[in-house]
Amino acid sequence: ALIFLPTLPFKVGSGNLTVRPSFPFAGAPVLDPSGGWDKERGFGDMVILALWGRAEKSGLLWGFGATSIFPTASKESLGADQWQLGPAALAGYLSGKGVFGALWQHWWGLNDPDVGEKANTGTLQLFYWFSLAGGWQIGGSPITTANYVTASDIDFSVPLNFGVAKTLMAGSTPIKATVQAQYFVTQPDLLGPSWGVFFQITPVVKVPWS
């Protein structure tokens, strides 16, 4: 998967409204006519997260808001084929030694029940990064996902992540480069990853409305 994930802050009252749209390009395994496995690639479902909150002088980070998934997938295997809406919340702590916390999101499908089963999914992203000298950090940001198929049948994907990050300057622009490895402790029985590696490049640019 390749994901473009800009974070857009807006000053609202005594806090900030942070809007984070997600534009994913992904591949998914599918069964071919002969019963083997093939892969489909294309644009996935777009997610828009909006949180209002702030960073306190004590180092506490908090926010709450809404999250929505739009059925923009170019192929059926790359999305849920329904609009989804739900709550979101953020809690964390920032200090000179690093940052740690959690971002929770949950979505319920809003489609007609006669058309198909409504989605009922959630994610919990932990983040724990510890600062070292020279702009280096160690830590991780695993995302646990849950698919509430029925009240007694829940599919969990629980990864453990560990990685390194380095902040450097490109002229006057700070850029954070991150690489993480992840191992999945649990995953759905039919289709689910066992391990993964991902890279992230985060430039920090001045927004024109600040």
Side-chain angles (χ1 to χ4, degrees), residues 52-136:
W52 185 89
R54 61 175 180 243
E56 306 289 356
K57 292 182 179 180
S58 63
L60 175 67
L61 307 172
W62 62 270
F64 62 92
T67 180
S68 183
I69 298 179
F70 295 85
T72 55
S74 58
K75 298 180 180 180
E76 184 177 350
S77 62
L78 301 177
D81 196 28
Q82 58 184 285
W83 183 38
Q84 302 170 55
L85 185 65
L90 168 74
Y93 181 75
L94 175 66
S95 72
K97 296 181 180 180
V99 60
F100 65 90
L103 170 64
W104 169 74
Q105 300 182 79
H106 194 97
W107 300 274
W108 290 283
L110 302 179
N111 65 314
D112 187 336
D114 296 333
V115 175
E117 184 178 1
K118 289 188 176 183
N120 184 5
T121 60
T123 64
L124 180 66
Q125 179 176 11
L126 304 178
F127 50 91
Y128 40 87
W129 290 99
F130 303 94
S131 299
L132 304 174
W136 287 93

Side-chain angles (χ1 to χ4, degrees), residues 6-44:
T7 301
L8 309 173
F10 301 89
K11 184 69 176 177
V12 177
S14 60
N16 287 296
L17 174 64
T18 302
V19 180
R20 194 184 73 175
S22 171
F23 304 94
F25 297 86
V30 294
L31 284 171
D32 61 25
S34 63
W37 289 103
D38 200 355
K39 180 175 286 187
E40 290 186 342
R41 297 178 176 86
F43 191 76

Side-chain angles (χ1 to χ4, degrees), residues 172-209:
S172 60
T173 301
I175 297 179
K176 183 177 181 178
T178 306
V179 58
Q180 294 186 61
Q182 58 183 359
Y183 170 75
F184 284 84
V185 180
T186 64
Q187 68 267 9
D189 293 335
L190 180 60
L191 288 176
S194 298
W195 60 275
V197 177
F198 65 91
F199 307 89
Q200 185 173 354
I201 303 295
T202 308
V204 180
V205 298
K206 182 177 177 60
V207 293
W209 55 83

